[in-house]
Amino acid sequence: MNTTSHHESGQTVQSLSETGSGKHPKRRKVSWRVIDIVIASVLAVVCGVIFWIWSNAVSPATQTATVGFPPLSGLIGGGWLIAGVVGGLVIRKPGAAIYCEILAAVIEALLGTHYSAGVLLSGLIQGIGAEIVFALFLYRRFGLAVAMFSGCVSGVFMGVSEVMMYYGFWEAKYQVVYIVCGTISGVVIAGLLGWALMRALISTGVLGSVAAGRDARRSRVRP
């Protein structure tokens, strides 16, 4: 492993280039650069618009469709989790999942939602759920399995918190079904689709200046 130092964004940083055959960097800078903040913010704003659409169009339609058994509405919950998972997959630094999920919730609140300011607490809780998984893997694994695991844990956090915040009057079996549905939705919508979105963005080249794009370049040039 070769270690070099250079100036980046006015700040002296240390970069590590690998000569080994490992699939992932052995060490990654944890400090955020300006470009990390910019890319994460853009992702979060886009996800915030998705959140707003989810709250004002998808959720009402789903509640109508599941009026016979309301816990099934948890199956669309993953739409509110995608910001944290994608943010963590793209930026690959501590705090990225929480930052993107909270900022997306702020955008949703500003655009208007019947969940009011409660979305900010939800964003924090769901972001923590996604962040925990990336931290468990020391911010060194960002494959499909990790993405789906991140969506899974974020879905559990969402399901449990929303049962406590909104559905405390439900019977216990309804609450359990809602949490299970939210978890499945987190795995599929936030994890699977979030990972596919990250791969699609990498292929366009727009992530070339952040960790996801750099890791993709390393994997292409490695023999």
Side-chain angles (χ1 to χ4, degrees):
M1 177 183 294
N2 299 325
T3 304
T4 58
S5 295
H6 64 280
H7 279 79
E8 190 171 350
S9 301
Q11 179 184 12
T12 299
V13 297
Q14 190 173 59
S15 67
L16 305 175
S17 60
E18 291 202 326
T19 57
S21 58
K23 295 177 63 176
H24 306 278
K26 293 181 179 179
R27 191 187 304 174
R28 187 188 305 280
K29 297 188 298 293
V30 297
S31 60
W32 285 48
R33 302 170 303 149
V34 173
I35 190 64
D36 294 327
I37 298 172
V38 170
I39 295 295
S41 299
V42 170
L43 285 173
V45 169
V46 172
C47 289
V49 175
I50 294 174
F51 286 6
W52 177 75
I53 295 172
W54 230 248
S55 292
N56 293 281
V58 178
S59 179
T62 303
Q63 289 177 2
T64 300
T66 61
V67 67
F69 191 61
L72 290 178
S73 63
L75 289 172
I76 56 103
W80 284 293
L81 310 177
I82 198 166
V85 175
V86 173
L89 290 174
V90 168
I91 304 301
R92 307 190 172 187
K93 292 182 178 179
I98 294 175
Y99 175 81
C100 288
E101 192 69 32
I102 290 179
L103 181 55
V106 169
I107 298 300
E108 179 188 2
L110 291 175
L111 291 175
T113 170
H114 60 280
Y115 293 109
S116 189
V119 297
L120 304 181
L121 178 58
S122 295
L124 173 62
I125 294 171
Q126 294 156 14
I128 290 173
E131 187 80 39
I132 285 174
V133 174
F134 295 116
L136 283 175
F137 288 93
L138 304 178
Y139 300 95
R140 291 168 55 184
R141 297 289 185 271
F142 301 94
L144 177 58
V146 172
M148 295 175 73
F149 187 23
S150 180
C152 173
V153 175
S154 188
V156 172
F157 275 46
M158 176 192 69
V160 172
S161 65
E162 293 197 349
V163 161
M164 296 174 65
M165 293 167 64
Y166 306 119
Y167 307 121
F169 59 91
W170 278 356
E171 298 179 31
K173 60 183 180 183
Y174 275 40
Q175 295 175 343
V176 170
V177 171
Y178 184 80
I179 293 170
V180 171
C181 289
T183 302
I184 294 171
S185 184
V187 171
V188 176
I189 298 179
L192 177 59
L193 296 184
W195 181 84
L197 175 60
M198 182 267 295
R199 296 299 303 172
L201 291 174
I202 287 175
S203 68
T204 67
V206 298
L207 301 182
S209 56
V210 293
R214 292 197 299 272
D215 288 351
R217 284 200 302 274
R218 289 192 188 101
S219 65
R220 284 196 293 268
V221 301
R222 185 173 295 133

